Amino acid sequence: MSASITASARSAGRLVFAAFVLLALLVWPLLVENVFYQRVGALVMLAALSASAWNLVGGYAGQISIGHVLFFGCGAYASLLGFTWFEWPPIMGAPFGIALSLLLAVLVGLPTLRLKGHYFSMATIALAELARIIVVNSPSLGGGVGISGPAIPRSMADLSFISPLPYYYIFGAVLAVLLLFTWWMGRARMGFYLRAIRGQERAARSLGVPAQRYKLYALLVSAGFTSLAGSLYAAMVGFVDPDSGLGILLSVKMVIVSALGGAGTLFGPLVGAAILVPLEEFTNAAFGGDGTGITYVVYGAIIMLISRYAPGGLAEILARLKAWGARHAR
């Protein structure tokens, strides 16, 4: 009886904490008048969206993809090519980007998801780099110069706003949908299967888990949301080129953001984005072009520290602190 009461209290505490975080995220931009800080908030939401999408296949299924920028680029390019070729509002290209990403996920996933460990990671890097080379050498896709969206807003459908606040709430709404799906998935059969696959795939297969099928399911959902993140990025920035839409550093950032907060956890990517993105933006603002080099150093340092001391990210550190507190409370 006491155990059930304790479990109920923990669930209620988590709901209260989640409600508090949600309220803080909704109110915070309205209390900040500085446009730079508002833009950083929008970028945090976008990075959390991309990392949460990657987290489905990289965190829950344990398939470390370094080529997720392929799907991000599909969304970004589909949005702005729709404007360039047909003068559509950029966001109208998002469904085509998602459809292309799902097709590529099937074509890429069927052969590569059979690979293990770093072989899968290397295969995804090669495919993403191949896509970047194809775009660079295709004038119809903008080549190395890139493509732009509408120079001036024509209607609300262009999603071209002066203030970063609309982007913050749009990105946050899509992120909320993805987190709700992830929460549901974690408690459904798919979540249990993916965790079993991540823990020990051979043992999961021996127990009848259709590992290949569920890894593909995770990749499909992940690719769709990553592509949508790319389309929203293109709508906000209004420009994409091979580096900003298909650069390998974008994939690395998704991995680091998720790993920093805690890969395989619900809010880990959001926590990682809330730490890493402001650090990156303030560094770039303080040091100008030289700040990009510092960003690479920070990324490398975070990778080394996580790998050495806390493979589970901040979520693992928090769990250790809870365990330490429980031991000393006795």
Side-chain angles (χ1 to χ4, degrees), residues 116-192:
K116 308 295 182 184
H118 58 278
Y119 295 107
F120 174 77
S121 299
M122 289 190 295
T124 59
I125 292 174
L127 291 168
E129 185 62 15
L130 176 61
R132 191 187 70 82
I133 293 173
I134 291 174
V135 170
V136 167
N137 292 279
S138 300
S140 60
L141 300 178
V145 178
I147 52 178
S148 301
I152 57 174
R154 302 167 301 173
S155 68
M156 288 290 291
D158 282 337
L159 298 184
S160 182
F161 306 107
I162 298 176
S163 170
L165 286 182
Y167 297 113
Y168 176 90
Y169 287 110
I170 291 171
F171 300 163
V174 178
L175 174 62
V177 172
L178 176 54
L179 291 179
L180 282 173
F181 172 82
T182 306
W183 176 83
W184 168 83
M185 183 198 74
R187 286 154 178 77
R189 177 183 299 179
M190 182 175 177
F192 290 108

Side-chain angles (χ1 to χ4, degrees), residues 67-242:
H68 250 55
V69 70
L70 173 65
F71 308 124
F72 187 91
C74 283
Y77 270 91
S79 292
L80 295 188
L81 285 174
F83 166 75
T84 302
W85 292 348
F86 308 111
E87 296 189 356
W88 291 344
I91 199 61
M92 284 187 63
F96 297 94
I98 293 173
L100 179 58
S101 294
L102 295 179
L103 176 61
L104 289 175
V106 173
L107 296 177
V108 170
L110 289 177
T112 60
L113 286 173
R114 299 179 183 276
L115 301 174
K116 308 295 182 184
H118 58 278
Y119 295 107
F120 174 77
S121 299
M122 289 190 295
T124 59
I125 292 174
L127 291 168
E129 185 62 15
L130 176 61
R132 191 187 70 82
I133 293 173
I134 291 174
V135 170
V136 167
N137 292 279
S138 300
S140 60
L141 300 178
V145 178
I147 52 178
S148 301
I152 57 174
R154 302 167 301 173
S155 68
M156 288 290 291
D158 282 337
L159 298 184
S160 182
F161 306 107
I162 298 176
S163 170
L165 286 182
Y167 297 113
Y168 176 90
Y169 287 110
I170 291 171
F171 300 163
V174 178
L175 174 62
V177 172
L178 176 54
L179 291 179
L180 282 173
F181 172 82
T182 306
W183 176 83
W184 168 83
M185 183 198 74
R187 286 154 178 77
R189 177 183 299 179
M190 182 175 177
F192 290 108
Y193 280 177
L194 292 180
R195 283 190 288 270
I197 294 167
R198 180 186 62 187
Q200 182 54 258
E201 183 173 338
R202 183 175 296 180
R205 287 178 181 274
S206 69
L207 294 174
V209 174
Q212 186 73 8
R213 187 199 314 168
Y214 275 88
K215 286 192 292 185
L216 184 59
Y217 290 164
L219 180 61
L220 287 169
V221 179
S222 178
F225 275 102
T226 305
S227 177
L228 181 56
S231 296
L232 294 173
Y233 167 81
M236 179 179 72
V237 176
F239 172 80
V240 66
D241 65 1

Side-chain angles (χ1 to χ4, degrees), residues 271-292:
V271 173
I275 295 172
L276 191 63
V277 172
L279 179 62
E280 178 183 350
E281 291 299 315
F282 286 121
T283 301
N284 292 342
F287 297 98
D290 295 333
T292 304

Side-chain angles (χ1 to χ4, degrees), residues 218-310:
L219 180 61
L220 287 169
V221 179
S222 178
F225 275 102
T226 305
S227 177
L228 181 56
S231 296
L232 294 173
Y233 167 81
M236 179 179 72
V237 176
F239 172 80
V240 66
D241 65 1
D243 287 332
S244 63
L246 290 165
I248 197 66
L249 186 62
L250 290 172
S251 287
V252 174
K253 186 175 179 180
M254 293 180 203
V255 177
I256 295 178
V257 166
S258 185
L260 177 60
T265 62
L266 181 61
F267 293 108
L270 178 58
V271 173
I275 295 172
L276 191 63
V277 172
L279 179 62
E280 178 183 350
E281 291 299 315
F282 286 121
T283 301
N284 292 342
F287 297 98
D290 295 333
T292 304
I294 297 175
T295 299
Y296 297 153
V297 174
V298 171
Y299 283 4
I302 290 174
I303 291 173
M304 290 189 295
L305 291 173
I306 290 175
S307 300
R308 174 62 180 85
Y309 297 106

